[in-house]
Every structure is written in C-alpha cells, then in structure tokens.
Amino acid sequence: VQLQASGGGLVQPGDSLRLSCVGSGLSLSRQSVAWFRQASGKEREFVAGFFRTSSTANYGDSVKGRFDISRDNAKNTVWLQMNGLKVDDTAVYYCATGSRLIMTTRTWASAYDYWGQGTEVTVSS
C-alpha cells in the first residue's frame, strides 16, 4: 500500500494550490481518506476528509470555506484544492487512509493506517 502526495510549493498569500494523493495497493473510494498538515513545532492537524464511502466531506475549522476535498474513484486519487491561502497554512501536508475509523475518530491522526510522504506548502509574501 502506498500513497503518493504531490502539488506543494511556495506561493503568496491569497494564491491557490491543488494537492493530489494517488493510492496504490488499495481503493481509496472504499476507505476513509483525509488530509492532515503539520506545521513546524506543532501537532498534526486534520484538514479535510471523507468518512468511509460517504460523499460528504468534513473540514477543519481553520480551512472551512477555503479548501475543498474531492476524490476521483477511477483514478484512485484524492485532491485538496486550497484557495485563499494564508501564511498560517504553511505546513507539510499529508494524505492518509484507513479502514477502521469510526465517526468519532475521523479527525484523529492515530486512527489512520497508511500515510503518504508529505508535500510541503509554504505561504509567504
């Protein structure tokens, strides 16, 4: 099982980026999948995700209205569209997936079984 995350980069405040996470060895459409981020010196934070096969996305409070998660089942890929980026969005972004989550743990990093390698997003003027 592998998750390959990409799409990060250096952007200015207000810009947009789209991250992608491609899965191999498992079907992302059948499992819970999420994006987390970790800023320097901080704990890993839930950004957005789908619980199991639900088409309804959940978002962390700090990104609601700015970020949009989607998944393409045919391509076994999950996207994170990030708009209106802020300096505080600077972090390494990770995609993760798991099959054992329950509703109350869907925002817990510890509940996910597989992780991508991370892609760095830097927002700076």
Side-chain angles (χ1 to χ4, degrees):
V1 175
Q2 282 192 328
L3 299 176
Q4 183 70 39
S6 62
L10 172 63
V11 296
Q12 295 185 336
D15 284 352
S16 298
L17 274 177
R18 188 172 75 156
L19 307 183
S20 66
C21 175
V22 181
S24 59
L26 80 173
S27 173
L28 294 179
S29 65
R30 298 178 181 226
Q31 304 195 108
S32 297
V33 60
W35 286 96
F36 286 79
R37 68 186 182 185
Q38 188 164 20
S40 180
K42 295 187 177 181
E43 293 186 355
R44 198 161 291 192
E45 173 191 19
F46 175 83
V47 174
F50 291 106
F51 177 64
R52 297 184 182 172
T53 59
S54 174
S55 59
T56 301
N58 303 110
Y59 295 92
D61 289 341
S62 60
V63 307
K64 282 180 182 176
R66 298 188 298 123
F67 290 12
D68 179 60
I69 187 173
S70 59
R71 54 183 165 186
D72 185 328
N73 296 337
K75 296 181 178 180
N76 209 28
T77 298
V78 177
W79 310 94
L80 183 68
Q81 178 66 43
M82 305 186 295
N83 300 321
L85 282 162
K86 304 176 181 180
V87 172
D88 287 348
D89 294 319
T90 295
V92 178
Y93 285 71
Y94 299 90
C95 58
T97 190
S99 60
R100 299 175 294 115
L101 280 75
I102 59 176
M103 179 65 76
T104 54
T105 65
R106 67 190 186 280
T107 63
W108 300 1
S110 60
Y112 289 79
D113 301 314
Y114 301 104
W115 291 82
Q117 83 285 7
T119 184
E120 189 167 6
V121 174
T122 303
V123 185
S124 175
S125 56

